[in-house]
């Protein structure tokens, strides 16, 4: 079969189609047309013409003059953001200021009311949390002997000129514990070596191993106690799965019927989900809460982004500080020994100070704007009278 002549590219046109000719650099055109144009004005014109920042233009031209080439821009941000430089407590404080949702405010005020009520009732309040410690954790500051003039001088004095401390990497211990005003609970420690290389230590936990640990803790608690925990996924495993928008329509329908909801006409999936939303509050139940309730204990959940209301965070800071100061071998077994010693060093007096600090934070969060009135049973001064 012969090809049509208009389907075939002429040889002289092929280069234009396959690889277009490169245009002249705008800067050269501007310079040739305006040879006496000041440098700064020339850079501004190039910036406006190409839509590139003035500083980028100056940097690129300077690099070309120096090296004869231009490197590709570095798309990886090497400078850490403020959020990367601060610790968890400061991050949570920023989240609260920037993302103070109304539902979180309600959750927080309910938590503060409940925790105070339980304390007034004389119930023991236990706090627990997870943390991690790397085998390479150590104090970052190094002592510097300014009298050392050379490596040879250091060698003769039996000293080293290099830092021997790792950077905090290596094997990692995942640690769980629980404590109250009486200190860390005896027999409450769970510690194991991480098997994952994830940046988030929470990835090591799941509902099954957490529930096993929690079940072993319950008999050790004071009667009718309160257990404060956060909202990690493995703390919030539900006793039954409630349908969501990702559920199949038939599964949603079956769940509604199992709860006694009458479906007397055909419905779209969004209509069925609306009915789920109406009644799901009756059926939201967590495995951990039920385990505690069966033993006459109460679970109280911290509002999200409020780790400053958990005194065990201060206990962890004390524990990690001891491990870092005394870690000289950077071996995971030795770090485990240091961890146990550090935990033993946290006394009941320390815990009471931690809790008192948290109470101070609670007081700050309880302060409500003067325009919001406290509702009481006395309505004699109502303006409606």
């Amino acid at each position: 079969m012969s090809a049509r002549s208009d389907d075939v590219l002429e040889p002289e046109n092929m280069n234009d189609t396959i690889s277009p000719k490169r245009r002249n650099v705008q800067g050269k055109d501007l310079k040739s047309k305006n040879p006496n144009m000041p440098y700064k004005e020339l850079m501004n014109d190039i910036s406006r013409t190409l839509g590139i920042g003035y500083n980028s233009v100056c940097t690129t031209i300077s690099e070309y003059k120096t090296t004869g080439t231009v490197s590709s821009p570095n798309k990886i941000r090497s400078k850490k953001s403020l959020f990367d430089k601060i610790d968890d407590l400061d991050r949570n404080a920023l989240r609260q200021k920037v993302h103070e949702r109304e539902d979180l405010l309600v959750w927080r005020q309910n938590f503060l009311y409940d925790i105070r009520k339980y304390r007034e009732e004389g119930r023991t309040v236990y706090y627990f949390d997870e943390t991690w410690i790397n085998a390479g954790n150590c104090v970052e500051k190094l002592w510097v002997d300014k009298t050392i003039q050379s490596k040879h001088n250091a060698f003769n004095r039996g000293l080293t000129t290099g830092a021997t401390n790792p950077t905090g990497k290596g094997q990692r211990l995942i640690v769980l514990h629980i404590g109250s005003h009486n200190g860390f609970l005896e027999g409450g420690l769970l510690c194991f070596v991480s098997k994952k290389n994830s940046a988030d230590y929470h990835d090591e936990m799941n509902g099954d191993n957490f529930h096993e640990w929690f079940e072993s803790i319950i008999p050790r608690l004071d009667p009718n106690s309160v257990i404060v925990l956060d909202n990690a996924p493995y703390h919030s495993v539900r006793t039954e799965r409630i349908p969501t928008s990702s559920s199949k329509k038939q599964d949603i329908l079956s769940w509604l019927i199992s709860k006694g909801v009458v479906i007397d006409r055909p419905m779209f999936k969004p209509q069925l989900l609306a009915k789920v939303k109406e009644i799901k509050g009756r059926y939201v139940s967590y495995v951990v809460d039920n385990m505690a309730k069966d033993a006459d204990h109460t679970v109280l959940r911290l509002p999200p982004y409020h780790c400053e209301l958990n005194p065990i965070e201060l206990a962890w800071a004390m524990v990690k500080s001891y491990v870092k100061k005394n870690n000289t071998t950077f071996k995971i077994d030795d770090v485990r020994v240091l961890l146990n010693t550090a935990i033993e060093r946290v006394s009941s007096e320390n815990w009471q100070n931690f809790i008192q600090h948290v109470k101070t934070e609670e007081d700050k969060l309880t302060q409500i704007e003067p325009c919001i009135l406290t509702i009481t049973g006395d309505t004699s001064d109502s303006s409606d009278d």
Side-chain angles (χ1 to χ4, degrees), residues 54 135 150 185 203 248:
Y54 174 83
S150 66
L185 180 67
D203 292 343
K248 294 181 179 179

Side-chain angles (χ1 to χ4, degrees), residues 25-40:
V25 180
Q26 295 286 347
K28 290 184 177 180
D29 291 341
L30 290 172
K31 188 66 176 175
S32 61
K33 293 177 181 177
N34 304 280
N36 298 323
M37 180 182 291
Y39 177 82
K40 187 173 182 179

Side-chain angles (χ1 to χ4, degrees), residues 130-144:
E130 307 85 357
T131 191
W132 57 271
I133 297 180
N134 281 338
N137 281 148
C138 57
V139 177
E140 295 179 357
K141 295 182 179 179
L142 299 176
W143 174 71
V144 179

Side-chain angles (χ1 to χ4, degrees), residues 59-71:
T59 301
T60 302
I61 292 178
S62 176
E63 181 183 358
Y64 182 77
K65 287 181 177 180
T66 304
T67 64
T69 60
V70 177
S71 59

Side-chain angles (χ1 to χ4, degrees), residues 206-351:
N206 58 50
D208 292 336
N209 55 27
F210 173 72
H211 294 155
E212 183 178 351
W213 173 82
F214 191 77
E215 188 175 19
S216 70
I217 289 299
I218 289 178
R220 303 175 185 272
L221 304 179
D222 290 343
N224 194 29
S225 61
V226 177
I227 307 159
V228 176
L229 49 77
D230 62 24
N231 299 276
Y234 44 87
H235 300 165
S236 305
V237 177
R238 293 182 177 180
T239 53
E240 69 169 307
R241 185 176 181 180
I242 296 178
T244 64
S245 57
S246 62
S247 302
K248 294 181 179 179
K249 181 179 178 181
Q250 185 57 47
D251 293 337
I252 301 173
L253 182 61
S254 299
W255 186 85
L256 288 169
I257 293 174
S258 71
K259 303 305 178 186
V261 177
V262 177
I263 308 297
D264 55 0
R265 58 189 175 87
M267 290 187 177
F268 292 108
K269 184 175 178 178
Q271 292 176 291
L272 296 175
L273 287 172
K275 288 190 172 292
V276 170
K277 187 176 181 180
E278 291 175 4
I279 66 170
K280 71 176 185 179
R282 308 175 205 167
Y283 303 101
V284 173
S285 177
Y286 301 103
V287 174
V288 169
D289 298 52
N290 291 339
M291 292 170 65
K293 185 178 180 181
D294 291 342
D296 295 324
H297 301 303
T298 301
V299 166
L300 183 60
R301 296 175 182 276
L302 284 162
Y305 317 126
H306 285 74
C307 66
E308 75 275 19
L309 299 181
N310 193 346
I312 201 172
E313 297 286 354
L314 300 173
W316 286 142
M318 183 175 174
V319 168
K320 288 187 174 184
S321 176
Y322 178 85
V323 173
K324 287 182 178 182
K325 289 179 180 177
N326 294 277
N327 187 10
T328 57
T329 66
F330 314 114
K331 295 179 180 179
I332 199 68
D333 291 337
D334 294 337
V335 171
R336 189 193 292 268
V337 173
L338 288 174
L339 171 69
N340 291 328
T341 303
I343 289 175
E344 291 175 359
R345 287 169 54 88
V346 183
S347 65
S348 59
E349 289 77 12
N350 293 136
W351 263 92

